[in-house]
């Protein structure tokens, strides 16, 4: 008899041999622009905490107060015993930011995508998704059981030819896209996608994970950035990036949200968001709206980096705080990443198979100071 778990070791060995093995790195203390990574102080260019709110004392205070008042867990699914006044307040605040009729919070952005797609689309339907979409959109499509076809990244011609070819053969159709692409930092062509959705009778689901709190004059995301506030579409996002907490959301029409409350399995059959996470996200939403200067600082920092590194590196097209410096090979990317780490800069190399071409990927925060950026410049040019 052989051990039925034996294949796990072999599989891990293969991962090691391909240099695809990954492991966690420990950060001590609170997240921020400077962190202690594996015992070494480094300037952090790898965080999703764009506004610097995850360590903000107001979020911490809100979370602590919520724990005192409601306890640590929400003790049940929202439909049974897990619904708290805080959840409703948070959903109202998200809908207010997004200027949608309603919103629904999930335990994570990943679960929001899985549950929403699975609820809206089934075996007789069609999903057309950007090839660079986030894993949660791709797995949501698999969970839905629909016919799923990827279109080339941000390629409207390819999308339209696929709509023409496939749309007539399916009942419902859903187009899915990230609004800010997480590995490149470029934006989806939202206006054109909305037009296609109308022309081909398709629903459009946009993932605002990297845009919420960051893009748009009030931080509502790319839908606002493109002046599409009020358009009929499905907006998904996360509370765990610029909002510094944990959880996900869907924002849209009253009827959409009501439907999801009755049909989204990853919302119905899971425990409600914890009081601490809910309260922290709520506090973050207030700051997003009351401190727009955080967003201005991010984009001033982006400008500094672009202007100062453009002669040395090819920077992939980006209109967001995600900037990618192109490097020629996976080995060069790794060497650069290590060299920077040795000088106290955390700016990770991203290699195939995660992305098609090797790069150094950096995310810009509102709490990066000019001295951090100047230090980065000196080390990258030196
Ligand atoms: C991070 C991310 C998610 C997942 O959000 P979580 O709340 O972390 O689960 C979904 N979509 C995109 C595009 C993301 O970048």
């Amino acid at each position: 008899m052989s051990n039925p778990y034996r294949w796990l070791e072999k599989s891990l060995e293969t991962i090691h041999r391909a240099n695809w093995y990954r492991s966690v790195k420990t950060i001590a203390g609170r997240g921020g622009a400077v962190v202690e990574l594996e015992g070494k102080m480094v300037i952090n260019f790898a965080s999703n905490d764009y506004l610097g709110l995850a360590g903000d004392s107001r979020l911490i205070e809100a979370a602590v107060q919520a724990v005192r008042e409601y306890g640590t867990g929400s003790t049940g699914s929202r439909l049974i015993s897990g619904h708290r006044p805080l959840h409703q307040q948070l959903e109202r605040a998200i809908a207010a930011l997004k200027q949608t009729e309603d919103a629904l919070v999930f335990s994570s952005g990943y679960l929001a995508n899985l549950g929403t797609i699975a609820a809206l689309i089934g075996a007789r339907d069609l999903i057309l998704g950007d090839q660079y979409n986030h894993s949660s959109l791709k797995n949501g499509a698999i969970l839905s059981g629909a016919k799923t076809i990827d279109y080339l990244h941000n390629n409207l011609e390819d999308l339209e030819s696929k709509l023409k070819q496939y749309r007539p053969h399916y009942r419902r159709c859903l187009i899915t896209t990230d609004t800010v692409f997480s590995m490149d930092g470029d934006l989806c062509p939202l206006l054109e996608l909305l037009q296609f959705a109308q022309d081909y009778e398709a629903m459009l689901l946009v993932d605002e994970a990297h845009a919420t709190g960051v893009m748009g004059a009030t931080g509502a995301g790319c839908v606002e950035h493109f002046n599409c506030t009020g358009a009929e579409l499905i907006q998904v996002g996360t509370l765990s990036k610029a909002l510094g907490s944990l959880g996900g959301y869907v924002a849209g029409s009253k009827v959409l949200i009501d439907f999801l409350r009755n049909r989204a399995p990853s919302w119905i059959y899971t425990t409600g968001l914890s009081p601490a996470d809910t309260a922290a996200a709520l506090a973050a939403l207030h700051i997003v709206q009351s401190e727009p200067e955080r967003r201005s600082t991010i984009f001033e920092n982006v400008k500094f980096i672009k202007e100062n590194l453009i002669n040395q590196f090819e920077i992939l097209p980006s209109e967001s705080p995600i900037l990618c410096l192109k490097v020629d090979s996976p080995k060069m990317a790794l060497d650069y990443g290590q060299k920077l780490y040795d000088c106290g800069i955390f700016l990770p190399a991203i290699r195939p198979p995660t992305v098609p071409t090797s790069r150094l990927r950096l995310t810009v925060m509102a709490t990066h100071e000019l001295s951090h950026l100047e230090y980065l410049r000196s080390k990258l040019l030196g």
Side-chain angles (χ1 to χ4, degrees), residues 28 42 60-63 102 116-117 144 172 183 208 236 254 260 278 293 351-352 357 381-382:
V42 291
I60 294 170
E61 207 40 55
D102 208 351
T116 303
I117 297 171
S144 76
R172 293 198 279 265
M183 286 299 139
E208 293 263 62
V236 181
K254 221 173 176 48
L260 293 176
T278 312
E293 62 274 16
R351 298 161 287 159
T357 54
L381 299 186

Side-chain angles (χ1 to χ4, degrees), residues 4-22:
Y5 302 97
R6 178 73 184 92
W7 67 272
L8 283 169
E9 276 165 44
K10 291 209 169 122
S11 195
L12 264 179
E13 277 164 26
T14 310
I15 294 170
H16 271 294
R17 267 201 305 277
N19 279 321
W20 287 0
Y21 184 77
R22 304 172 69 171

Side-chain angles (χ1 to χ4, degrees), residues 19-87:
N19 279 321
W20 287 0
Y21 184 77
R22 304 172 69 171
S23 58
V24 296
K25 297 191 197 74
T26 308
I27 289 185
R30 285 182 199 171
V34 178
V35 291
E36 186 188 323
L37 175 69
E38 308 265 84
K40 184 181 168 77
M41 295 309 288
V42 291
I43 305 170
N44 186 5
F45 289 100
S47 175
N48 294 325
D49 183 20
Y50 296 104
L51 300 173
L53 295 182
D56 189 284
S57 57
R58 292 165 290 180
L59 273 70
I60 294 170
E61 207 40 55
V64 168
Q65 258 187 31
V67 169
R68 290 234 163 83
E69 187 166 355
Y70 297 104
T72 48
S74 64
T75 77
S77 66
R78 292 276 299 281
L79 288 174
I80 308 291
S81 62
H83 183 63
R84 299 285 180 281
L86 276 175
H87 293 128

Side-chain angles (χ1 to χ4, degrees), residues 48 108-111 113 134 136 178 180 182 207 209-210 238-241 246-248:
N48 294 325
S108 74
Y110 207 110
L111 287 169
N113 272 328
H134 188 260
S136 52
D178 290 14
V180 174
S182 55
D207 184 339
H210 286 278
T238 182
L239 311 176
S240 67
K241 291 184 171 121
L246 181 68

Side-chain angles (χ1 to χ4, degrees), residues 263-277:
R263 278 287 180 272
S266 65
W267 186 82
I268 298 170
Y269 301 105
T270 196
T271 304
L273 204 60
S274 82
D277 292 324

Side-chain angles (χ1 to χ4, degrees), residues 296-373:
S296 321
T297 309
I298 291 179
F299 286 99
E300 278 159 27
N301 288 347
V302 166
K303 188 160 170 270
F304 178 94
I305 292 180
K306 281 185 174 168
E307 284 175 357
N308 282 280
L309 294 180
I310 195 82
N311 290 328
Q312 203 78 6
F313 287 93
E314 183 183 337
I315 302 177
L316 299 185
S318 164
E319 290 168 79
S320 74
I322 299 171
L323 299 176
C324 291
L325 314 178
K326 213 172 149 191
V327 284
D328 290 335
S329 70
K331 169 124 183 28
M332 262 182 77
L334 279 180
D335 289 349
Y336 257 120
Q338 184 62 46
K339 188 188 131 196
L340 290 170
Y341 177 74
D342 292 341
C343 333
I345 295 171
F346 182 32
L347 197 167
I350 313 277
R351 298 161 287 159
T354 306
V355 289
T357 54
S358 296
R359 67 201 62 180
L360 294 165
R361 176 185 181 273
L362 68 100
T363 51
V364 179
M365 296 169 69
T367 45
H368 281 138
E369 293 165 15
L370 192 56
S371 62
H372 299 148
L373 306 181

Side-chain angles (χ1 to χ4, degrees), residues 154-167:
N154 275 351
N155 187 322
L156 293 166
E157 269 169 43
D158 189 46
L159 172 58
E160 185 158 38
S161 91
K162 283 172 170 146
L163 278 164
K164 283 204 170 97
Q165 186 180 352
Y166 294 99
R167 175 69 188 98

